[in-house]
Amino acid sequence: MLLETHGLTANYGQFRALFGVDIAVAEGECIAIIGANGAGKSTLMRSITGVIRNEPGMVLHRGTPIGALSSAEIMKRGIAMVPEGRRLFPSLTVEENLLIGGQARQVPGPWSLESIYGLFPILRERRKNSGTALSGGQQQMVAIGRALMSNPELLLCDEISLGLAPVVIRDIYAVLPRIREGGAAIVVVEQDIGKALAVADRVYCMMEGRVTLVAKPADVTREAIHAAYFGEAA
């Protein structure tokens, strides 16, 4: 497996947010993590990327324990994050925001400024604009492009559709197959169940810091998702 978590726990002070979470991502795979607000989805992403430190063996990258590594060390291993809320640098242009992603991990791969502009042509037009002067959808494109500039083998996308218009969400999701063609595995954290099921090879549902369902989209029923999402039968 490219990435695994084993009995992953996470705390915010005295509050425990994750309770023994096990997930696995194979090379080139797309998995979706769904669940209501407060289910622990973003905490899981922060734990994988080193924002929240863990016991080393709780997170494995290609079999190597990385749970105690820093965010910078984890990114250098090829795990990149598109954070919730985008978090662009307001003092930098679109192009400068993208270039920062390339500085984080300088390795050969399919993604460069030119290939990012090919993926999102509007960013070439706006490359001299401040990153935060764009529309929400365009800012999300910059955030995705910045992460891709490190040529990751695993791309984590935390709520990439949040607050965006349906037509923009469609365009954002349309590029995920192209990203996979470049060799990256993808983890999509999403509240829109339909979007998640449409792109994923497997789906994990979380509730109150625990995994309540693991299934292939074709095998899961509406009733099973409802029960896993809310803890009750439909």
Side-chain angles (χ1 to χ4, degrees):
M1 283 293 168
L2 179 61
L3 181 94
E4 300 168 85
T5 68
H6 293 286
L8 179 62
T9 61
N11 298 324
Y12 294 105
Q14 298 299 311
F15 173 74
R16 175 149 292 187
L18 296 180
F19 299 84
V21 172
D22 296 337
I23 69 165
V25 187
E27 288 192 49
E29 186 178 32
C30 180
I31 72 165
I33 300 175
I34 63 174
N37 284 333
K41 306 184 301 297
S42 291
T43 301
L44 174 59
M45 296 298 98
R46 295 185 186 111
S47 296
I48 291 172
T49 54
V51 177
I52 299 174
R53 300 290 187 91
N54 306 283
E55 293 296 322
M58 287 185 177
V59 185
L60 302 179
H61 175 236
R62 297 190 178 278
T64 299
I66 64 168
L69 298 184
S70 68
S71 295
E73 291 171 313
I74 288 172
M75 174 167 275
K76 288 177 181 178
R77 294 187 65 92
I79 299 172
M81 176 84 154
V82 182
E84 181 182 351
R86 301 177 280 274
R87 301 183 190 176
L88 303 183
F89 296 99
S91 62
L92 302 182
T93 66
V94 165
E95 190 158 294
E96 288 168 338
N97 269 281
L98 293 173
L99 288 171
I100 281 180
Q103 293 171 3
R105 180 177 183 253
Q106 297 180 349
V107 297
W111 299 108
S112 63
L113 269 180
E114 282 305 307
S115 56
I116 296 300
Y117 289 150
L119 191 67
F120 299 119
I122 188 65
L123 298 187
R124 186 190 299 274
E125 299 176 25
R126 305 293 169 85
R127 64 187 184 278
K128 300 303 181 184
N129 292 74
S130 166
T132 54
L134 308 181
S135 69
Q138 291 165 1
Q139 289 185 41
Q140 191 64 277
M141 294 174 190
V142 177
I144 294 170
R146 180 180 60 187
L148 289 176
M149 284 287 289
S150 68
N151 280 295
E153 55 184 30
L154 176 61
L155 182 68
L156 308 176
C157 300
D158 193 3
E159 302 283 10
I160 56 174
S161 68
L162 190 64
L164 301 181
V167 65
V168 178
I169 295 171
R170 181 199 64 199
D171 292 344
I172 293 291
Y173 268 85
V175 305
L176 295 186
R178 293 176 62 184
I179 294 171
R180 293 181 70 182
E181 289 170 6
I186 302 176
V187 176
V188 176
V189 172
E190 184 58 84
Q191 290 192 50
D192 186 325
I193 297 173
K195 289 293 183 187
L197 295 179
V199 299
D201 299 307
R202 286 182 300 120
V203 60
Y204 290 79
C205 186
M206 294 184 66
M207 183 179 66
E208 297 179 351
R210 296 175 171 85
V211 173
T212 52
L213 176 71
V214 184
K216 294 181 178 180
D219 298 336
V220 70
T221 65
R222 181 183 66 84
E223 291 77 14
I225 290 177
H226 189 281
Y229 213 92
F230 300 109
E232 58 187 27

